[in-house]
Amino acid sequence: MLAVRRVTQDNQGKKTAGIDGVKSVKPHDRLVMAKRIHPKHWKGQTPQPVRRVWIPKPGKAEQRPLGIPPMIERCKQALAKMALEPEWEAKFEPNSYGFRPGRSCHDAQEAIFNAIRSKPKYVFDADIKGAFDNIDQEALLRKLQASPVLSRAVKGWLQAGVMEGQVFSPTDRGTPQGGAISPLLMNVALHGMEQAITEGYSKSYTVEKPLLVRYADDFVLFHSHLEEIQKVAERVTHWLAQMGLKLSSTKARMTHTLTSYQGQVGFDFLGFTIRQFPAGKTHTGKGTAGKALGFRTLITPSKEAIKRHKLTIKERLRKFRSASQEQLIKELNPIIWGWAAYYKTSVASAVFSRCDEVLWKQLAACARARHPDKGTQWMMQRYWHQVGKRKWVFATSTGAEMRTHSKTAIQRYRKVKGTASPYDGNLLYWSQRLKSHPMMHETKARLLQKQQGKCRWCELHFQDGDIIEVDHIDRDHKHKHLSNKMVIHRHCHDERHAKHLETEKLLRLAAAGINIK
């Protein structure tokens, strides 16, 4: 039942249909589906193919293939994932951060900072070519070591094939992106990489070992010596070949964090630029003993990420040029908040200020395009107002205002502890991390703290992966005070509103004198 709820109610892609055409499941049908997906019914069943759609990669011309399984197969995969994930979370290596519960890009960013903060190092920055599409299925199944029932099911999903329009293609390699279990299978395939690079090194603390930080199929290797990092890169290449994988020749590169190597300094990873700068005694970083290092380590938003963000706002302004000011604010605010929240753990204050300047100019250009026959003063009086002590705020007379990047405060992030996992039972630790996560909205964070990390409807602790929504207690969306809000699960939100609608219906019938027995 939990698996069905996760797929049909909580999942963001629940309205995207597979080849079965199912994208909305009613409550009664969910109960029927929960009985159908029990493993005792799996024997002898052949999974249907996945539906292939192509989605663009952010900021690139190339596209990524997405495989969408039928709804019933998605529920089965969610059930299998719930069985396999706790076991593998107890095994996974500490510096693996992608597609894992309780871990994020910010953990990988902080792990990189810790790796280089005290000593400049050589970096091997690499990307696995078509990781999802080229995994050796037999090698993966051997590594999975699941029960016979699960092994047969996973093999069936891997070999189900792909439907693109009316054309069927077999899948004898890889795992289709889009299935609930696919990210877990890829992490299983890449498990052991960290151990492979440290084989042969002494266990003594005086010997420097290479360090790996991996986020899904992107990873970086660090070591102080060029010869060692080159050896480790070759070892990783041979290790990946055992799983049928190889590195992308266009994306793999060697660089150094402080000095120029092959014409480059530093590297980009997950949208951040990470590099070190020489610094005098007043600006230098300090080691663990307080000794001046002579350099400082800075992590900033990458130039490509900034350019892509500005272009996104420009395109939205063009698309909503004829929309009302309030609608435009409603459209842009989540984009600005989300981008600033992602980068607020980095050195981004100056970047936020520059983005605000560009945003102001973009809004002014949009206003001029909308009213070419009006003067500057008229447009300023119409669209820009004073809000409190702040002047020149892009806002409406009803109180809706455009959010600025600089409104998001810089926040130091604390990396997840070692091999800690949400399955280890430490609910207090994980609920505290949930409310302090950079991507948690300020309102939700305050409400989570107020509710002690629990849902006000079902009284269960929120866990990583839960869809958390804000609900108005008196159902009046104009009453925006924090005392009138609470955070609940998405499925609890649906249940609460369904009960309210049913109550209102019964009251209307009773008022009309209709017998409601």
Side-chain angles (χ1 to χ4, degrees):
M1 294 171 92
L2 289 170
V4 170
R5 185 173 72 185
R6 177 59 58 91
V7 171
T8 62
Q9 290 180 270
D10 290 347
N11 195 284
Q12 298 283 16
K14 63 184 178 181
K15 294 184 179 179
T16 306
I19 64 169
D20 57 347
V22 178
K23 57 183 179 181
S24 179
V25 185
K26 295 181 179 180
H28 173 73
D29 296 329
R30 291 183 206 137
L31 288 172
V32 174
M33 191 174 282
K35 294 177 182 177
R36 285 182 60 196
I37 67 167
H38 195 283
K40 67 183 180 182
H41 301 305
W42 290 6
K43 192 173 182 180
Q45 291 188 359
T46 303
Q48 291 179 288
V50 300
R51 172 176 162 247
R52 172 165 287 174
V53 296
W54 293 86
I55 57 172
K57 290 186 177 182
K60 299 179 182 178
E62 55 185 311
Q63 292 183 313
R64 177 187 289 116
L66 194 66
I68 304 168
M71 189 67 74
I72 189 71
E73 298 301 333
R74 278 184 254 179
C75 294
K76 289 180 182 178
Q77 289 186 23
L79 182 61
K81 182 184 177 184
M82 291 169 72
L84 290 169
E85 192 171 62
E87 174 196 352
W88 279 96
E89 277 296 313
K91 298 178 183 178
F92 282 148
E93 294 161 322
N95 284 314
S96 163
Y97 299 101
F99 300 132
R100 290 184 59 187
R103 292 170 179 247
S104 66
C105 301
H106 301 89
D107 291 294
Q109 170 208 337
E110 192 66 17
I112 291 171
F113 179 77
N114 292 338
I116 64 174
R117 63 187 299 181
S118 301
K119 192 175 184 180
K121 293 183 179 179
Y122 284 95
V123 184
F124 181 64
D125 179 14
D127 175 63
I128 300 170
K129 185 177 181 180
F132 279 96
D133 301 326
N134 294 302
I135 294 173
D136 186 321
Q137 294 178 355
E138 291 301 324
L140 173 60
L141 290 168
R142 286 195 300 271
K143 197 171 185 179
L144 193 63
Q145 293 185 334
S147 65
V149 173
L150 271 177
S151 292
R152 284 195 298 269
V154 171
K155 186 175 182 179
W157 293 322
L158 293 175
Q159 299 179 351
V162 170
M163 288 291 293
E164 191 167 357
Q166 299 297 319
V167 180
F168 173 81
S169 303
T171 49
D172 53 359
R173 295 185 66 81
T175 171
Q177 297 184 58
I181 203 171
S182 296
L184 174 62
L185 294 179
M186 197 208 50
N187 273 331
V188 171
L190 298 179
H191 173 65
M193 189 189 296
E194 197 170 339
Q195 182 182 350
I197 69 165
T198 55
E199 283 181 359
Y201 286 87
S202 170
K203 293 183 180 180
S204 171
Y205 287 105
T206 59
V207 177
E208 183 185 347
K209 302 179 184 66
L211 180 69
L212 167 78
V213 176
R214 180 173 68 83
Y215 188 90
D217 57 347
D218 292 334
F219 66 91
V220 280
L221 295 167
F222 300 97
H223 201 280
S224 300
H225 301 291
L226 179 61
E227 298 79 11
E228 290 298 319
I229 200 77
Q230 289 172 338
K231 289 178 185 176
V232 173
E234 289 179 9
R235 194 179 302 165
V236 165
T237 303
H238 292 310
W239 185 86
L240 287 171
Q242 299 172 15
M243 295 302 301
L245 300 171
K246 59 182 180 180
L247 298 177
S248 172
S249 57
T250 58
K251 296 180 181 178
R253 66 191 185 103
M254 200 83 70
T255 183
H256 193 268
T257 57
L258 179 61
T259 59
S260 178
Y261 179 77
Q262 295 181 346
Q264 294 179 321
V265 184
F267 62 100
D268 289 354
F269 192 67
L270 302 176
F272 296 94
T273 294
I274 300 139
R275 64 170 292 184
Q276 293 164 330
F277 298 85
K281 61 180 181 180
T282 56
H283 291 85
T284 180
K286 294 183 179 180
T288 52
K291 183 181 177 181
L293 299 171
F295 65 87
R296 55 178 179 166
T297 304
L298 295 183
I299 300 179
T300 58
S302 69
K303 291 181 180 178
E304 185 61 34
I306 297 168
K307 180 181 176 182
R308 193 162 56 239
H309 177 58
K310 292 175 182 176
L311 185 62
T312 299
I313 292 178
K314 182 179 178 181
E315 290 174 349
R316 291 300 174 98
L317 284 170
R318 185 183 293 118
K319 183 178 179 181
F320 288 87
R321 181 176 291 177
S322 59
S324 66
Q325 186 183 11
E326 189 170 358
Q327 188 178 352
L328 185 64
I329 291 171
K330 188 177 179 181
E331 179 68 24
L332 288 183
N333 273 359
I335 298 171
I336 295 168
W337 176 86
W339 192 86
Y342 181 80
Y343 288 105
K344 71 180 179 182
T345 60
S346 64
V347 183
S349 294
V351 173
F352 287 176
S353 295
R354 288 201 303 271
C355 287
D356 285 338
E357 291 174 12
V358 173
L359 175 63
W360 201 94
K361 292 176 182 178
Q362 288 175 327
L363 291 171
C366 182
R368 283 195 297 270
R370 182 181 288 194
H371 307 285
D373 56 338
K374 298 293 184 180
T376 302
Q377 187 175 357
W378 182 91
M379 286 187 291
M380 290 299 173
Q381 290 176 347
R382 180 183 176 99
Y383 294 111
W384 280 267
H385 306 282
Q386 181 170 338
V387 179
K389 294 183 180 180
R390 294 178 295 129
K391 296 181 179 180
W392 304 112
V393 179
F394 189 82
T396 65
S397 56
T398 58
E401 65 177 82
M402 184 72 75
R403 185 185 178 96
T404 59
H405 299 80
S406 301
K407 187 178 179 181
T408 302
I410 301 300
Q411 170 188 327
R412 183 62 191 269
Y413 184 74
R414 191 180 294 275
K415 190 180 82 68
V416 65
K417 294 178 182 177
T419 57
S421 164
Y423 296 106
D424 59 18
N426 193 347
L427 293 178
L428 179 61
Y429 173 74
W430 291 105
S431 63
Q432 287 175 341
R433 279 188 63 81
L434 189 65
K435 67 180 176 59
S436 62
H437 194 275
M439 299 306 292
M440 181 61 68
H441 197 277
E442 297 97 324
T443 302
K444 288 183 181 179
R446 288 198 292 268
L447 289 170
L448 277 170
Q449 188 169 11
K450 182 181 175 183
Q451 296 173 202
Q452 299 180 328
K454 292 182 180 180
C455 172
R456 280 278 293 271
W457 187 254
C458 66
E459 293 297 324
L460 294 176
H461 276 97
F462 288 108
Q463 297 182 5
D464 186 78
D466 289 345
I467 308 298
I468 303 173
E469 294 185 343
V470 177
D471 194 18
H472 292 75
I473 296 172
D474 64 1
R475 303 180 67 202
D476 182 5
H477 285 247
K478 293 180 180 180
H479 184 189
K480 296 181 180 181
H481 195 271
L482 203 67
S483 61
N484 187 45
K485 293 179 180 179
M486 62 180 178
V487 281
I488 55 179
H489 294 100
R490 173 176 286 179
H491 50 266
C492 293
H493 199 171
D494 294 341
E495 184 181 336
R496 182 172 185 265
H497 279 272
K499 286 197 172 184
H500 277 302
L501 290 172
E502 184 66 25
T503 302
E504 288 175 359
K505 180 181 177 181
L506 293 175
L507 289 173
R508 285 197 302 269
L509 292 172
I514 300 173
N515 190 343
I516 57 175
K517 289 185 179 180

